């Protein structure tokens, strides 16, 4: 039996580093609309949930999407220092599903195909994993703050493409059950599956510079698709 999966896009009204970024236009549309489009186009979800305290987000979502479930974030969960795990513990009580995929409005490059591939890998693993999270491959010479090499031997100057890969958690997606979330108090469970996402597609917006680059990448990808059609 196919599991019921719901998607969650959490958005606070306040954004310290990029004010109003969640609904700021990127390539002609409010930022969060891009990820909602991708989630809908993936065909994987019975419901798409927007968890927010923002009147602006709610107004745009009602106008742009007829299939969105809006969840009002309670006042005690609106502090930006609060872990996302605590927010998700509340959100997952509002909509029943076997699994939840949480992503962010700040990942506008994430494609429907990648989302569908992640869901398929997880759901066909026959219970081998209790969660999934997105990662980006790194093959670079890394050092810590004490000038100690982390992943290479400076005396053996391997080409970066020959270094053993390590992976950065990219926050593009987390797939989990409510049971795993409760048991671990974490969206990453005890037996997680790392799901690799291309670096360009995993681009995340934290700063004004990130926003400018994301828009350029999004326009380039859209034109690339148009040329291939």
């Amino acid at each position: 039996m196919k599991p019921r999966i719901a998607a969650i896009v959490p958005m606070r009204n306040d954004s310290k580093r990029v004010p109003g970024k969640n609904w700021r236009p990127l390539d002609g549309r409010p930022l969060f609309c891009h990820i909602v489009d991708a989630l809908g186009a993936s065909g994987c979800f019975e419901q798409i949930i927007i968890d927010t305290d923002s009147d602006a987000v709610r107004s745009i979502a009602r106008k742009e999407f007829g299939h969105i479930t809006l969840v009002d974030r309670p006042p005690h969960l609106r502090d930006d220092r609060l872990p996302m795990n605590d927010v998700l513990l509340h959100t997952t009580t509002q909509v029943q599903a076997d699994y939840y995929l949480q992503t962010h409005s700040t990942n506008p490059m994430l494609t429907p195909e990648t989302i569908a591939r992640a869901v398929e890998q997880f759901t066909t693993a026959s219970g081998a994993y209790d969660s999934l999270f997105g990662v980006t491959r790194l093959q670079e010479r890394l050092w810590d703050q004490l000038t100690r090499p982390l992943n290479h031997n400076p005396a053996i100057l391997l080409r970066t493409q020959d270094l053993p890969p390590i992976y950065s958690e990219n926050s593009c997606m987390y797939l989990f059950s409510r049971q795993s979330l409760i048991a671990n108090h974490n969206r990453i469970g005890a037996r997680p599956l790392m799901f690799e996402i291309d670096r360009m597609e995993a681009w995340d917006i934290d700063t004004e510079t990130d926003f400018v680059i994301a828009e350029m990448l999004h326009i380039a990808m859209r034109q690339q698709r148009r040329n291939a059609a």
Side-chain angles (χ1 to χ4, degrees):
M1 182 176 173
K2 187 177 180 181
R4 296 173 301 155
I5 307 176
I8 301 173
V9 185
M11 287 180 272
R12 287 186 303 105
N13 186 64
D14 294 329
S15 176
K16 299 293 189 291
R17 286 177 288 186
V18 187
K21 69 179 178 182
N22 287 325
W23 59 86
R24 178 172 162 182
L26 182 143
D27 193 12
R29 296 202 75 200
L31 175 62
F32 79 87
C33 291
H34 294 291
I35 191 62
V36 175
D37 285 341
L39 292 167
S42 74
C44 295
F45 307 105
E46 289 196 358
Q47 285 181 279
I48 298 174
I49 306 157
I50 290 178
D51 176 306
T52 188
D53 64 334
S54 169
D55 290 336
V57 168
R58 281 191 284 264
S59 176
I60 295 168
R62 290 188 183 106
K63 180 181 177 181
E64 294 287 330
F65 306 103
H67 59 287
I68 291 296
T69 300
L70 292 171
V71 171
D72 291 332
R73 186 174 303 183
H76 69 281
L77 293 176
R78 296 177 184 177
D79 192 316
D80 66 341
R81 294 165 298 183
L82 195 74
M84 180 53 62
N85 296 310
D86 292 342
V87 175
L88 293 172
L89 282 167
H90 171 262
T91 311
T92 55
T93 65
Q94 305 302 298
V95 175
Q96 295 296 312
D98 297 312
Y99 296 104
Y100 301 86
L101 184 143
Q102 183 248 313
T103 184
H104 292 284
S105 64
T106 51
N107 300 131
M109 306 298 295
L110 198 59
T111 66
E113 294 78 14
T114 295
I115 294 168
R117 187 161 49 87
V119 170
E120 181 181 14
Q121 283 192 19
F122 179 76
T123 56
T124 57
S126 301
Y129 306 98
D130 64 355
S131 56
L132 171 149
F133 67 102
V135 297
T136 304
R137 177 190 294 249
L138 294 178
Q139 286 178 284
E140 302 167 7
R141 298 185 189 100
L142 302 177
W143 302 76
D144 70 10
Q145 69 271 24
L146 299 177
T147 326
R148 295 177 299 197
L150 296 178
N151 66 331
H152 66 286
N153 183 346
I156 304 174
L157 198 59
L158 290 176
R159 300 181 304 170
T160 53
Q161 61 265 41
D162 294 331
L163 289 172
I166 59 175
Y167 296 90
S168 168
E169 180 183 338
N170 58 33
S171 297
C172 280
M173 64 173 77
Y174 299 88
L175 183 55
F176 53 89
S177 67
R178 178 164 169 78
Q179 291 81 2
S180 174
L181 179 66
I182 292 171
N184 298 285
H185 201 87
N186 199 316
R187 55 196 171 179
I188 299 177
R191 294 176 287 106
L193 170 63
M194 292 199 306
F195 179 78
E196 187 175 343
I197 301 173
D198 176 79
R199 183 174 296 194
M200 185 175 82
E201 196 173 338
W203 191 267
D204 186 54
I205 298 173
D206 279 325
T207 66
E208 286 286 348
T209 300
D210 292 337
F211 202 105
V212 171
I213 294 172
E215 184 158 46
M216 291 190 295
L217 290 172
H218 198 276
I219 291 170
M221 183 178 281
R222 175 168 53 79
Q223 291 175 339
Q224 199 173 53
R225 287 200 198 98
R226 182 180 297 170
N227 293 338

